Amino acid sequence: MNKEERYSVALFVSVGHVIKAEKILKKAGIPHKVIPVPRSISSDCGVCVRFLTEDKDRVKAALSELVPINEFREL
Amino acid sequence: MDGESLIYFDNAATTWPKPKEMIEAMVAFNDSIGANPGRSGHRLSIEAARVIYSTRELICELINAPDPLSIILTKNATEGINCCLMGLLKQGDHVITSSMEHNSVMRPLRFLETKGVTVSTVLCSPSGEIDLDDIRGAINKHTKMIAITHASNVTGTVMPIEEIARVAKEHGIFFFVDAAQTIGNREIDVIKVGIDILCFSGHKSLYGPQGTGGFYLRKGLEEFLSPLMMGGTGSASEFERQPDFLPDKYESGTPNGIGFAGLAASVRFVLGQGVDRIRAREKTLTKIFLDGLKGIEGVMLYGVDDPSRRTGTVSFNIRGVSPSDISSELDEKYRIMVRPGLHCAPSAHRTIGTFPQGTVRFSFGFFNTEEEILYGIKAIEEIAKTYYNRER
């Protein structure tokens, strides 16, 4: 992870939603990675989508009305 | 036929053989993925979730469903049917069904009757056709759902789901379709037709592994549909209450990951061949078979004449000979696999007048050949000659 780059994660209700979001972001060409939900956020065993914080609006726009996002968190 | 090969005409029960892509995908899942989807954040778990999501996507493509998450995966069509009927119909509700239904629909409905649900079973014609006016006439102010098979597993008769959907829509009634016999061999567009719930089998006309099936649920319906089973979903684990979103609300416990990996490959195969082409091929085979049987003395054919209004399933009897005797003879002497009896659909057999002895059912699939059909006709001809004449 590059130190200067700031990352955020989008949290979803289920892994199905995460995979759906992943597919949409891939298609939209927005850099992202599916990662385990960081322990600082939740002790649940789930996964979330990490992206560059500067891309937050693009992520929001791409997913709007297609996948409900539970919440955004900055890392 | 070389006398060694097996001829499989029991595709309405489960298709066989399966495309080689199916087993390759299952081996690949087993060898390089294997993990429990959605139960952890490691790469194999995520990869397993991707595979299962792709299965949902492919089914969406096949039935024109808008959202992969509205495809709930189950172990067979029966599980989906039970989930939807038992979860949606409550005391005081009325449901309309047809007399051609399989027990996967009939038995849950008979059970629900004991819980205060009323059921109207619309009697179909002896060839298995339904009259729309009979459906209209059965509607009352408590009617919540019309639950109907897309095609009979006994006669292959295809139901006019487009017209029935319009009736349901006019009256604001949920429309439930059992597509166990048709998904993959007839075009189904859940949006265009107006289907609220579509239950399907993975191992029949989708050519997937046994132990796979599912249902499509129109978005928003999850509000009215209680889950049949509850348990771990890998999501919302902090709560002891079942999640209320799709598909997790109806998918508790570890899924059949390896099965759905195989199903994805099989649906890809079906999409690759094209539903139209599969349908045309089965229609050709069915027509040859029907024409062949019409000329045999003692043979009684059931279902509609027009091969475009039926699936590749054909029921018949030879006057005076029991279906199970014909079936055994076909297996032992001709190495032809078929299914005799009631086919888990006693009501359908009452409708066509073959209860309780049933019929002999030949059901064709994509992998059957013209040569096999002709051999099947010849076998029936010989059996009819031997036994029918002896009975007379």
Side-chain angles (χ1 to χ4, degrees):
Chain A
M1 209 190 284
N2 187 326
K3 266 189 181 163
E4 277 118 71
E5 285 174 341
R6 286 171 55 218
Y7 286 95
S8 289
V9 292
L11 302 170
F12 301 88
V13 290
S14 81
V15 68
H17 292 72
V18 170
I19 305 297
K20 187 176 176 186
E22 180 190 31
K23 294 227 165 194
I24 294 165
L25 295 177
K26 197 172 170 188
K27 220 173 168 181
I30 303 170
H32 65 279
K33 193 179 179 192
V34 174
I35 62 163
V37 178
R39 191 165 279 277
S40 60
I41 294 174
S42 162
S43 56
D44 199 10
C45 48
V47 286
C48 60
V49 179
R50 191 191 68 182
F51 54 89
L52 287 166
T53 302
E54 62 189 60
D55 283 337
K56 185 174 169 179
D57 288 341
R58 286 174 73 203
V59 169
K60 253 188 182 169
L63 300 182
S64 75
E65 286 176 29
L66 293 173
V67 207
I69 301 164
N70 248 12
E71 63 171 301
F72 285 106
R73 288 283 192 98
E74 238 177 277
L75 296 182
Chain B
M1 299 297 116
D2 58 13
E4 284 301 314
S5 50
L6 296 177
I7 297 162
Y8 186 80
F9 287 153
D10 199 12
N11 291 283
T14 195
T15 46
W16 187 82
K18 307 291 186 186
K20 65 175 186 346
E21 296 91 323
M22 178 197 92
I23 200 71
E24 284 166 5
M26 293 172 84
V27 169
F29 184 92
N30 184 67
D31 288 354
S32 48
I33 303 175
N36 200 330
R39 276 17 180 215
S40 181
H42 60 72
R43 71 186 76 184
L44 291 181
S45 176
I46 297 169
E47 198 47 39
R50 286 192 185 109
V51 168
I52 291 191
Y53 188 84
S54 76
T55 313
R56 302 186 207 279
E57 277 186 318
L58 288 156
I59 290 163
C60 273
E61 192 180 333
L62 194 66
I63 62 173
N64 193 32
D67 185 355
L69 298 179
S70 65
I71 304 296
I72 292 99
L73 297 171
T74 61
K75 72 170 186 283
N76 46 37
T78 300
E79 187 188 340
I81 292 167
N82 270 266
C83 180
C84 296
L85 296 178
M86 309 273 275
L88 204 57
L89 298 168
K90 310 277 191 275
Q91 187 176 11
D93 288 341
H94 172 243
V95 55
I96 298 169
T97 192
S98 88
S99 69
M100 293 305 286
E101 302 306 308
H102 187 275
N103 269 343
S104 56
V105 168
M106 280 302 187
R107 286 180 170 168
L109 291 183
R110 294 293 169 232
F111 173 80
L112 285 165
E113 271 186 322
T114 70
K115 303 288 168 195
V117 172
T118 51
V119 180
S120 295
T121 308
V122 172
L123 182 64
C124 295
S125 75
S127 54
E129 291 174 291
I130 199 158
D131 189 330
L132 287 180
D133 285 336
D134 292 342
I135 296 179
R136 285 195 193 94
I139 295 171
N140 66 41
K141 62 178 180 176
H142 301 292
T143 309
K144 194 172 191 179
M145 180 196 275
I146 299 173
I148 203 145
T149 186
H150 190 188
S152 161
N153 71 309
V154 174
T155 59
T157 310
V158 174
M159 297 293 188
I161 55 167
E162 295 81 3
E163 281 93 330
I164 302 170
R166 273 198 288 276
V167 174
K169 200 175 174 189
E170 276 163 30
H171 292 83
I173 301 166
F174 292 133
F175 186 41
F176 166 109
V177 176
D178 166 11
Q181 294 293 325
T182 53
I183 192 166
N185 67 36
R186 291 192 93 83
E187 292 288 351
I188 300 173
D189 185 325
V190 292
I191 301 301
K192 215 158 96 188
V193 175
I195 296 170
D196 295 306
I197 297 169
L198 183 96
C199 296
F200 59 87
S201 163
H203 66 96
K204 297 184 197 268
S205 37
L206 289 182
Y207 295 87
Q210 292 180 18
T212 63
F215 63 95
Y216 155 79
L217 189 68
R218 180 169 59 77
K219 217 166 208 162
L221 244 70
E222 67 269 29
E223 221 180 289
F224 308 99
L225 181 63
S226 332
L228 193 60
M229 288 207 304
M230 285 158 266
T233 55
S235 55
S237 298
E238 63 273 37
F239 303 112
E240 292 181 1
R241 287 179 60 161
Q242 187 73 1
D244 59 2
F245 49 82
L246 293 176
D248 295 30
K249 187 173 182 181
Y250 311 105
E251 286 187 1
S252 290
T254 299
N256 180 7
I258 192 165
F260 295 130
L263 179 58
S266 297
V267 176
R268 253 186 220 107
F269 166 82
V270 166
L271 287 166
Q273 294 297 333
V275 172
D276 274 0
R277 219 180 118 219
I278 292 174
R279 180 181 167 183
R281 187 180 169 80
E282 290 184 9
K283 188 177 144 188
T284 305
L285 297 177
T286 306
K287 188 173 183 328
I288 295 170
F289 187 67
L290 289 171
D291 290 346
L293 254 57
K294 277 174 197 158
I296 303 174
E297 202 189 352
V299 167
M300 295 176 293
L301 268 171
Y302 304 98
V304 294
D305 252 353
D306 180 0
S308 64
R309 289 195 296 128
R310 54 189 300 162
T311 61
T313 291
V314 179
S315 261
F316 68 91
N317 269 315
I318 298 175
R319 223 176 290 272
V321 192
S322 87
S324 54
D325 287 348
I326 298 168
S327 173
S328 318
E329 181 92 351
L330 284 168
D331 182 5
E332 278 163 32
K333 195 165 166 195
Y334 300 93
R335 302 166 70 83
I336 294 175
M337 319 291 134
V338 300
R339 180 169 172 191
L342 292 173
H343 315 101
C344 299
S347 173
H349 281 282
R350 281 194 189 94
T351 306
I352 68 171
T354 50
F355 188 85
Q357 81 280 7
T359 55
V360 182
R361 184 183 73 178
F362 275 50
S363 50
F364 310 122
F366 183 75
F367 292 107
N368 286 129
T369 63
E370 238 182 88
E371 192 193 5
E372 288 177 335
I373 307 292
L374 295 173
Y375 179 73
I377 296 168
K378 196 181 120 228
I380 296 164
E381 211 163 13
E382 287 177 11
I383 294 171
K385 205 174 268 171
T386 312
Y387 296 91
Y388 171 57
N389 288 340
R390 191 189 291 168
E391 298 295 324
R392 279 209 292 182

